[in-house]
Amino acid sequence: MVLVGRSWLLAVVAFLYLPIAVMIAMAFNASSLYALPIKPSLQWFVALAGDAPLLTATRNSLAIALFTSIVATLVGTLASIALSRQAFRGRSLLKALLLPPIAIPWLITGTAMLVFFFWTGIGRGLHAMMIGHVALAIPYVVLVVGTGMEAVRVDLEEAAMSLGSTPVHAFVAVTMPLLAPSIVAAGLFAFAVSLDQFVVSYFLSTPGVSTLPVEIYSSIRKGFTPEINAISAIFFGVSTLLVLLFAQLSNLGGNRGRR
Amino acid sequence: MVGVDVVSIVKDYGPARVLDGVSAAFEPGRFTSLLGPSGSGKTTLLRIIAGFVTPNAGTVSFGGVDVTGEPVWKRNVGMVFQSYALFPHMSVRDNIRFGLDRRGVRGEVANREVNRVLELVHLEGFDQRRPKELSGGQQQRVALARAIVTKPRVLLLDEPLSALDRRLRQGMQVELRRIQRESGLTTIFVTHDQEEALTLSDEVAILDRGRIVQHGSPTDIYERPRTRFAASFLGDANFFTGQVNAGAIEIGPYRLSTQDSLPAQGSAVTFAVRPEKMNFQAPRDGARPMNRFGATLREIIYAGATSTFLLADDSGSELKVFLQNRDMAWPSIGARVELSWSPSDTILVSE
Ligand SMILES: Nc1ncnc2c1ncn2[C@@H]1O[C@H](COP(=O)(O)OP(=O)(O)O)[C@@H](O)[C@H]1O
Ligand SMILES: [Mg+2]
């Protein structure tokens, strides 16, 4: 039984990682025709440095992801706090409305944004992508911070107030430190959501202004070069790091709050 | 050390009246238990006294000063929560120092105060631990230390022992009482455990559906319950209903007397008799007139030092008798017996 379980798991993992492993291996192969055996070389990474459109797109992607991460985390965190600590009319409706966007296909969200931005005059470009990504990332932040908030029991704040804290001080001294890992995790998640976003970015990009995924896509259409493998390998590395950090932090937050 | 007075407190949650005109005086330095079943409004009353909840009507005062409008952080209360609510990201020392810091007490002075209460709760040497590195009983004591280090005007505890297992709980009851005596704090303790209320308290206030139905010393409430609810919630009781006739209570062929004053001739009355006040035969001296009542023995539950006897009266209602296992000369099951008890243990209760 144990053996079957393990080989099954190995097969699943191989299925998940094999294409990526091949891609990464080829990024380090001198041959552009995927010839074996692999002749180790960094030439494709070096070539990246000279690819101006790709570098610009990378800079755009990072700028959008950073902006998205900061703004979505701020807005989403405040929303989570309001949802879990304040009693007001329509709260459960608002709470229910914050999550479905996660399940809406990006194609639909992207189309809606494109139409809406055109109609309102916001148009396309860097600013449009920033707004779009923030909107995409907020539900994830609400989800992550909301879960963290559940773990910080209300009676901790009440205990602080019984000891002389105003509600604001209780929040700053007790809730914030306990919530911090969740907030950082949400920020990372928002960053990753933005960095990996293709559909919405594709719709909102203009010929001069695109993001890394969009740029990769268009260069594939122009003709595949192993440079793509190199940039994708880097991309994969960064994304994996973010997700691992996220997993670490959200786990930490959970353990701490639970006591 | 001040007293706490609540006057005519009313609290509604939507259409539900949770507290219905509660008035009570908590004397300075006394330990009072608020005892009642789940949902009777104990926590709500405690949270109104603390200042977490604003009553719809009525006033709360500390030492004669009205504090109804003051928020909890200005009231200077010490509160121990059922879940302890220790700050998980702070050491034991920082948890205890929190309230001192809020009052501007810092540095060496604060450290001395922390050490003083750590000694009081027997937790010297644990000050650098995180709460999760402590056992339930130790967390409990940290919560208590944190609540009393600021010398609050009143100490409020909401079922603080209910998360502990039985043995630890009994140990903590003794500790809690000792700490309360040594600190001299006016204490209000919420519990639904009648035994806990009886053993710990100077006074017990019984809550039933948002009202205090009786408030007095444990012996007072146990020996002289005023309502059927108080009699049955605090300890066991046998209830009888009969009619007043010529200064006694008539139930079928039996005439029972009481030392309580009876209502008008012909009224229906209910009285309670504690199971340990009853016996199977009248005392040998026979000088005092005893109440007698016939019943059939149904079951004997032997428990070492004592036995519980379950009986049925002529109408089939169950009666209970507790006896010490001194001579073991019990009637056999199914036997017809005559119960006897003193008129002074015949307590009139209202329904
Ligand atoms: N915040 C609240 N909102 C609505 N109902 C409440 C609230 N707090 C308490 N209640 C209701 O008030 C009643 C008394 O509750 P509580 O004071 O917690 O009782 P106890 O502590 O004696 O178990 C219960 O019926 C409870 O459902
Ligand atoms: Mg309660």
Side-chain angles (χ1 to χ4, degrees):
Chain A
M1 268 318 275
V2 173
L3 212 65
V4 172
R6 193 165 63 185
S7 10
W8 176 247
L9 209 62
L10 278 173
V12 171
V13 170
F15 177 67
L16 289 178
Y17 284 97
L18 205 57
I20 294 170
V22 168
M23 179 196 77
I24 291 174
M26 289 310 158
F28 291 98
N29 192 357
S31 161
S32 63
L33 298 169
Y34 284 36
L36 288 174
I38 289 173
K39 252 195 287 151
S41 151
L42 289 177
Q43 71 184 87
W44 305 117
F45 289 92
V46 174
L48 276 182
D51 188 334
L54 211 55
L55 286 182
T56 314
T58 306
R59 242 193 331 271
N60 285 346
S61 268
L62 290 176
I64 295 171
L66 193 67
F67 179 84
T68 299
S69 159
I70 291 169
V71 176
T73 303
L74 203 72
V75 174
T77 298
L78 291 177
S80 286
I81 291 165
L83 279 178
S84 69
R85 286 292 188 272
Q86 241 97 54
F88 49 83
R89 272 179 58 202
R91 181 173 86 158
S92 37
L93 178 70
L94 281 173
K95 194 171 185 171
L97 281 176
L98 275 165
L99 294 181
I102 290 175
I104 297 173
W106 278 328
L107 194 65
I108 293 173
T109 318
T111 312
M113 280 181 184
L114 184 60
V115 171
F116 181 75
F117 288 178
F118 175 75
W119 178 62
T120 52
I122 292 170
R124 298 191 293 170
L126 210 57
H127 65 289
M129 287 191 267
M130 284 178 171
I131 298 171
H133 285 200
V134 166
L136 286 180
I138 285 174
Y140 293 95
V141 174
V142 171
L143 195 67
V144 173
V145 177
T147 309
M149 223 30 210
E150 309 267 283
V152 184
R153 303 179 49 124
V154 179
D155 57 16
L156 293 180
E157 279 173 36
E158 289 185 343
M161 284 191 253
S162 76
L163 292 166
S165 285
T166 59
V168 172
H169 182 269
F171 187 80
V172 171
V174 175
T175 309
M176 274 306 270
L178 294 171
L179 203 57
S182 300
I183 295 176
V184 175
L188 288 173
F189 206 98
F191 193 88
V193 163
S194 165
L195 202 62
D196 296 348
Q197 180 50 238
F198 170 71
V199 182
V200 170
S201 302
Y202 185 71
F203 281 19
L204 297 178
S205 60
T206 56
V209 186
S210 68
T211 65
L212 192 54
V214 174
E215 195 57 36
I216 291 175
Y217 175 73
S218 37
S219 34
I220 289 173
R221 297 191 57 180
K222 276 181 249 152
F224 197 89
T225 68
E227 255 177 77
I228 305 281
N229 287 333
I231 188 73
S232 301
I234 295 174
F235 208 147
F236 170 79
V238 172
S239 298
T240 307
L241 203 70
L242 287 179
V243 169
L244 288 181
L245 265 175
F246 167 77
Q248 183 72 15
L249 281 168
S250 45
N251 202 359
L252 248 180
N255 281 345
R256 277 218 228 161
R258 220 168 287 136
R259 192 203 57 186
Chain B
M1 197 159 69
V2 299
V4 173
D5 293 284
V6 297
V7 181
S8 309
I9 296 282
V10 173
K11 180 67 196 174
D12 296 325
Y13 282 117
R17 178 143 293 189
V18 173
L19 292 176
D20 189 10
V22 171
S23 297
F26 303 94
E27 303 287 329
R30 307 214 84 184
F31 190 116
T32 307
S33 287
L34 288 178
L35 176 68
S38 174
S40 56
K42 308 180 296 291
T43 296
T44 306
L45 181 58
L46 198 74
R47 290 170 65 80
I48 285 173
I49 295 170
F52 288 116
V53 175
T54 313
N56 296 75
T59 57
V60 179
S61 42
F62 289 179
V65 180
D66 188 337
V67 296
T68 318
E70 262 179 34
V72 51
W73 57 90
K74 291 194 180 148
R75 285 198 191 183
N76 193 13
V77 296
M79 180 112 182
V80 177
F81 295 78
Q82 193 167 2
S83 59
Y84 317 141
L86 296 176
F87 307 132
H89 57 304
M90 295 182 194
S91 66
V92 166
R93 178 169 292 277
D94 289 343
N95 263 279
I96 299 175
R97 200 154 46 186
F98 193 94
L100 294 172
D101 190 70
R102 289 280 81 206
R103 286 159 179 75
V105 181
R106 307 211 167 100
E108 259 322 292
V109 188
N111 272 331
R112 266 204 307 279
E113 285 300 294
V114 173
N115 294 340
R116 177 182 66 83
V117 291
L118 278 173
E119 201 177 314
L120 192 62
V121 300
H122 298 321
L123 277 181
E124 304 100 321
F126 286 84
D127 59 328
Q128 291 312 322
R129 302 253 190 122
R130 287 290 168 104
K132 69 171 173 222
E133 295 162 350
L134 302 175
S135 72
Q138 290 168 337
Q139 291 185 24
Q140 172 68 76
R141 283 184 275 166
V142 175
L144 192 59
R146 186 179 66 175
I148 63 179
V149 71
T150 56
K151 304 196 172 77
R153 291 193 283 179
V154 53
L155 178 62
L156 306 169
L157 307 104
D158 193 354
E159 311 211 15
L161 307 181
S162 62
L164 303 177
D165 65 48
R166 196 177 163 74
R167 186 168 287 264
L168 205 55
R169 196 179 166 117
Q170 284 168 347
M172 271 311 292
Q173 287 174 355
V174 177
E175 285 280 280
L176 179 60
R177 200 56 236 255
R178 173 184 64 78
I179 293 163
Q180 192 269 341
R181 284 217 181 86
E182 285 176 25
S183 59
L185 291 165
T186 308
T187 302
I188 305 174
F189 179 86
V190 162
T191 181
H192 65 260
D193 182 330
Q194 38 139 332
E195 206 179 303
E196 194 166 271
L198 283 178
T199 52
L200 277 177
S201 324
D202 297 318
E203 281 182 39
V204 177
I206 298 197
L207 252 90
D208 178 25
R209 285 165 292 167
R211 288 173 165 277
I212 291 184
V213 292
Q214 197 166 357
H215 186 163
S217 69
T219 49
D220 192 31
I221 293 190
Y222 185 78
E223 303 293 335
R224 316 280 351 145
R226 279 209 298 264
T227 65
R228 180 193 270 267
F229 175 83
S232 59
F233 193 71
L234 197 70
D236 272 296
N238 295 305
F239 294 100
F240 300 84
T241 305
Q243 267 195 342
V244 178
N245 188 8
I249 306 152
E250 262 182 14
I251 305 175
Y254 304 104
R255 267 182 73 78
L256 304 162
S257 25
T258 173
Q259 292 182 345
D260 294 352
S261 50
L262 287 165
Q265 174 82 10
S267 331
V269 290
T270 302
F271 62 91
V273 183
R274 297 291 188 190
E276 71 279 10
K277 311 285 186 191
M278 292 178 151
N279 209 331
F280 291 129
Q281 63 272 317
R284 267 183 282 279
D285 65 34
R288 287 183 298 155
M290 299 294 274
N291 284 330
R292 292 165 192 284
F293 197 81
T296 308
L297 184 57
R298 284 281 158 83
E299 206 170 319
I300 303 176
I301 302 160
Y302 173 78
T306 59
S307 290
T308 300
F309 299 81
L310 302 181
L311 306 99
D313 71 7
D314 297 339
S315 67
S317 346
E318 187 178 90
L319 297 173
K320 214 184 240 184
V321 175
F322 300 150
L323 287 176
Q324 299 276 321
N325 290 334
R326 193 166 292 141
D327 53 14
M328 305 284 292
W330 309 134
S332 50
I333 288 173
R336 179 80 189 165
V337 297
E338 190 162 68
L339 295 172
S340 66
W341 69 88
S342 159
S344 62
D345 293 326
T346 307
I347 312 143
L348 249 54
V349 295
S350 58
E351 285 290 335

